[in-house]
Amino acid sequence: EFLSAIISNPREKDGIVKIKIRPVEHKDNILYQCEEHRNNQVFHHNLNEEEAAGYIENAMQEFKQMQMETRKFRYQVLVSKKGKMTIQRRLQTGRFKEIDLSHNRKKHYILEEGKAVPFLQDLGVMTKEGKIVRTKFDKFRQINRFLEFIEDVLPELPKDREVTILDFGCGKSYLTFAIYYYLHELKGYDIRIIGLDLKTDVIYACNQLAKKYGYKKFMEGNIANYTGSDEVDMVVTLHACDTATDFALAKAVGWKAKVILSVPCCQHELNRQMENETLAPLFSYGLIKERMAALVTDAIRAEYLKREGYD
């Protein structure tokens, strides 16, 4: 019955960051392939059933959560700081899943090639037949990689009420539409997404597509001045320029958002202010100073978020 398990959210950040486990057929035996992710590298090893069970049990001493799928059920396992374990079980929706025992299977994408996805067709990534446009395959991969991050934070999102997601600087909204499609269409969450951007034409185009799919809603406006929500569950800010990222983080903290997905961009604020006599020779190189400013900026942001209780 076992299909797969994903063990994530480690207690210590300097070792394995994620483990994926699935059954494989090898020389007429069923083994369990363990895929360990660490330092941007992936390591594989195969275990028998007893070894795999012990491996998972030991891993759950070091990690805070696991998502496991069988043909009939989806399990979510959460472990508190004190070691208390909570297990939630839900019936698989639709047809029961089949087990793939192939040892070297092709890359699995959350949004599969060959299965038509309306918003990808309208955004020019996919044809009507569900094939990926050759020049857009990098965008297709990027969207799927992003959805893997969303998959990791599912345990933080409430299932018993509407989930509010705010995307600051949404742009053409490839990823905004991907979030909505994944959470609402594939996972059954009740979703309200607000996309915010300064460009009038971009927001207009997004709203036309949003109406077509029944999605909710896109707005033109500045991150710093936005006051349209009192409570937000997830804040997404991808490539918001300079201090726009900081405004977005401050808003997210003020809302006590459970999840923040942020990729900063062009960080000039500290670059203009940094002075240091000892490091002056290094700072004479514009590129070096720019990178240093970005690192310092992100370190300050990380400490700020940690102070506010974020992991």
Side-chain angles (χ1 to χ4, degrees), residues 33-271:
Q33 185 182 81
C34 301
E35 181 180 292
E36 298 177 352
H37 295 244
R38 66 173 109 188
N39 297 327
N40 294 321
Q41 292 180 296
V42 178
F43 302 88
H44 294 91
H45 52 275
N46 295 331
L47 305 173
N48 63 34
E49 184 175 324
E50 184 177 348
E51 292 169 336
Y55 177 85
I56 291 173
E57 188 175 358
N58 288 333
M60 293 310 291
Q61 312 295 321
E62 308 296 331
F63 287 78
K64 299 177 187 176
Q65 69 186 50
M66 172 170 65
Q67 289 175 282
M68 182 183 287
E69 281 197 272
T70 67
R71 289 188 64 245
K72 296 178 183 177
F73 296 100
R74 291 177 62 89
Y75 295 88
Q76 183 176 303
V77 183
L78 302 174
V79 185
S80 70
K81 289 181 180 179
K82 295 182 179 179
K84 181 184 176 183
M85 189 172 290
T86 304
I87 302 176
Q88 300 172 349
R89 186 180 78 168
R90 293 192 181 92
L91 192 68
Q92 292 279 20
T93 55
R95 294 176 56 192
F96 291 152
K97 296 193 173 183
E98 296 303 320
I99 300 173
D100 179 6
L101 295 174
S102 57
H103 196 267
N104 294 308
R105 60 182 180 180
K106 68 177 184 179
K107 169 71 176 173
H108 170 71
Y109 292 108
I110 291 175
L111 302 181
E112 299 176 30
E113 186 172 7
K115 183 178 179 182
V117 179
F119 83 88
L120 287 181
Q121 293 172 331
D122 284 327
L123 291 170
V125 175
M126 184 179 277
T127 67
K128 291 181 180 179
E129 294 75 33
K131 292 184 179 179
I132 306 305
V133 176
R134 184 177 57 81
T135 56
K136 295 288 187 178
F137 206 87
D138 283 346
K139 179 62 69 176
F140 176 71
R141 264 201 303 257
Q142 179 200 32
I143 290 170
N144 274 286
R145 183 71 187 98
F146 177 70
L147 289 179
E148 289 178 13
F149 290 114
I150 303 296
E151 189 175 54
D152 286 345
V153 300
L154 283 180
E156 307 297 329
L157 300 177
K159 208 51 184 333
D160 57 350
R161 61 170 174 81
E162 183 182 69
V163 177
T164 300
I165 299 172
L166 210 151
D167 186 355
F168 281 127
C170 58
K172 290 183 179 178
S173 298
Y174 288 99
L175 300 180
T176 318
F177 286 124
I179 293 172
Y180 197 104
Y181 181 83
Y182 175 69
L183 289 177
H184 187 264
E185 305 293 333
L186 301 186
K187 295 298 179 182
Y189 283 80
D190 182 12
I191 295 293
R192 174 175 174 249
I193 291 192
I194 301 164
L196 197 71
D197 201 279
L198 289 171
K199 297 175 183 173
T200 305
D201 57 335
V202 165
I203 290 297
Y204 177 80
C206 289
N207 271 321
Q208 296 311 301
L209 288 178
K211 287 177 186 175
K212 180 177 178 180
Y213 308 134
Y215 295 2
K216 319 165 194 179
K217 66 187 174 176
F218 290 85
M219 298 173 61
E220 181 187 348
N222 190 310
I223 292 173
N225 302 329
Y226 179 76
T227 56
S229 298
D230 297 321
E231 187 176 340
V232 175
D233 297 294
M234 181 160 77
V235 171
V236 180
T237 164
L238 306 178
H239 307 291
C241 286
D242 201 15
T243 53
T245 291
D246 300 293
F247 285 120
L249 294 179
K251 294 280 189 186
V253 169
W255 288 318
K256 296 182 171 59
K258 295 173 181 62
V259 175
I260 303 172
L261 297 175
S262 179
V263 178
C265 176
C266 54
Q267 298 144 315
H268 302 307
E269 185 75 7
L270 285 190
N271 197 354

